[in-house]
Amino acid sequence: MSVLGVQGKWKISVTLLSLLLVFAVMGGVSAQDQVHLRMTVWDTATTPYWQAVVDAYQAQNPNVTVELIDIASAEYQDVVNVMLSGGDDVDVITVKDIPGYSAMLTRGQIIPLNEYIEAADIDLSLYSGAAEELTYEDALYALPFRSDIWILYYNKAIFDAAGLPYPTNDMTWNEFDALARQLASGSGADRVYGAHFHVWRSTVQLPTVQDGENIVIAEDYSFMAPTYNMITSLQADQIIMDYGELKAGSIHYSGVFKNSQVAMLPMGSWFIGSLIAAQKAGEFDFSWGVARYPHPEGVEAGTTAGTLTSLAINTASANKDAAFNFIQFYSGVEGAQVLAALGNLPAIRTPEVLEVFAAVAGVPVEAQEALQTTTVRLELPMHPNVGAYEQILNQEHELIMTNSVTVEEGIAEINRRVAEEIGD
């Protein structure tokens, strides 16, 4: 049984219905010419928020209809590239990732939104730095509507057994290191690890860019050395699982967390929904919580990294003004409340929006505060060659974590390859 059960579901339904009614009463663009917008999205059958936000918008703007062009997620960017290259006049383009965003804007396939944003007096600070991360050469080509951030998951049963307090929302990486060492216990198959770092390069490299002084597009990557030293030391001391074994066994982070093999797990907010579903299905029965992502010394608590999903306008659209009115709603507070009511983290996370999210059945009580951010750094920043950088970083990350090279050797190799293979 979920935490809120039938009553909780009823409250969520009422909240969503109330939002729709408020939007309808408020009204919007009305008594104008009929407008039909087309919007590219993916996987509508498994992603209910696409249509829910459209419904809320159309309730407020009855003269506008929005048609969703559904594309398989795995093929999304390739299909959109073909559409735009062929001159398709689809109006609104959902931007799935930074490499796709970079490619579309450098080809002139999406328009800058600066004049629209200024005319509409949109407060970009509501996006906690996400709008700045999408800005390229002083122009913003998309407005973010969904933003998953990195947070810290923890197993309350392991903390209780160790007699240690739960992680706070203001914990440095050094404090995280010390706490993980206190939590590790047992041996062999009964070993409980203090923390867990999945095999992705981002699990190690994201903490190195939280200060905002460094990004993963660089010439000198020596700023990554302290974090690599900390995590390879945790691995050598068996405080975290061995990277090589995780890789060879294709061991997923969700399994080790649900099996109570790890006490703390830095991971994206997308894992909340998976955990809720798994617990509801009886896959595990311990209590778990979330806290803000740990931060380096001197960096404000609530600073984290994230991924963005945003909306852009096709250069070939014949309905640019109407398209902007739609994406302003979708990426604004009203759209955010609809997203949150369905258990999704929107790009705007005001206390009011997070209150709606926290009311979703199964969300930990700590989430409302843990999910509040001060700054969100992008996993991959906007850059024309971001794909080439990512390939080098992925390859050298694996060599470092498997102890094929030392941290110093690996970083020196990154520096050399970036200079020789990219050289911009």
Side-chain angles (χ1 to χ4, degrees), residues 89-358:
D89 62 355
V90 63
D91 302 291
V92 178
I93 300 167
T94 306
V95 181
K96 192 176 183 183
D97 54 33
I98 292 301
Y101 178 63
S102 173
M104 290 189 288
L105 76 85
T106 53
R107 293 173 188 152
Q109 294 170 328
I110 54 179
I111 65 170
L113 304 178
N114 297 46
E115 292 184 3
Y116 283 111
I117 291 169
E118 184 176 353
D121 195 25
I122 295 175
D123 181 5
L124 295 178
S125 68
L126 289 174
Y127 298 101
S128 302
E132 286 79 1
E133 299 283 3
L134 290 173
T135 299
Y136 179 66
E137 295 184 345
D138 298 324
L140 181 60
Y141 291 78
L143 282 178
F145 71 93
R146 182 171 176 181
S147 172
D148 278 299
I149 59 170
W150 283 72
I151 56 178
L152 182 68
Y153 298 81
Y154 57 91
N155 182 320
K156 292 183 177 179
I158 295 177
F159 275 82
D160 293 342
L164 293 169
Y166 301 145
T168 72
N169 289 315
D170 185 6
M171 182 167 65
T172 68
W173 282 109
N174 288 337
E175 292 168 338
F176 170 89
D177 182 324
L179 185 57
R181 292 177 182 279
Q182 289 181 279
L183 289 161
S185 66
S187 61
D190 296 326
R191 177 72 172 170
V192 174
Y193 295 87
H196 186 75
F197 285 83
H198 192 50
V199 296
W200 299 329
R201 137 198 99 67
S202 52
T203 62
V204 180
Q205 295 181 4
L206 288 181
T208 71
V209 298
Q210 276 180 277
D211 59 7
E213 297 177 3
N214 301 292
I215 59 175
V216 296
I217 307 297
E219 295 179 355
D220 181 0
Y221 287 82
S222 58
F223 65 88
M224 290 185 174
T227 303
Y228 266 109
N229 285 329
M230 178 190 80
I231 294 174
T232 53
S233 176
L234 287 170
Q235 180 174 255
D237 296 338
Q238 298 184 5
I239 306 301
I240 63 175
M241 291 184 173
D242 181 78
Y243 176 95
E245 294 179 7
L246 293 173
K247 193 83 173 181
S250 299
I251 298 174
H252 196 267
Y253 61 85
S254 61
V256 296
F257 189 79
K258 288 186 288 188
N259 292 336
S260 291
Q261 292 174 274
V262 300
M264 297 187 290
L265 171 68
M267 186 48 60
S269 53
W270 58 81
F271 192 39
I272 290 177
S274 299
L275 278 180
I276 292 172
Q279 193 165 30
K280 185 177 181 180
E283 295 181 27
F284 69 92
D285 62 0
F286 60 83
S287 180
W288 55 282
V290 293
R292 287 177 174 172
Y293 197 49
H295 60 89
E297 297 282 355
V299 173
E300 186 176 6
T303 301
T304 184
T307 57
L308 298 174
T309 311
S310 53
L311 298 175
I313 299 175
N314 182 7
T315 302
S317 168
N319 305 296
K320 292 185 178 65
D321 292 350
F324 183 78
N325 184 273
F326 172 68
I327 68 174
Q328 180 184 354
F329 177 93
Y330 212 111
S331 60
V333 172
E334 295 160 318
Q337 288 179 311
V338 178
L339 284 165
L342 293 170
N344 302 282
L345 268 184
I348 292 179
R349 287 191 286 274
T350 62
E352 294 77 14
V353 171
L354 289 178
E355 185 176 353
V356 174
F357 178 82

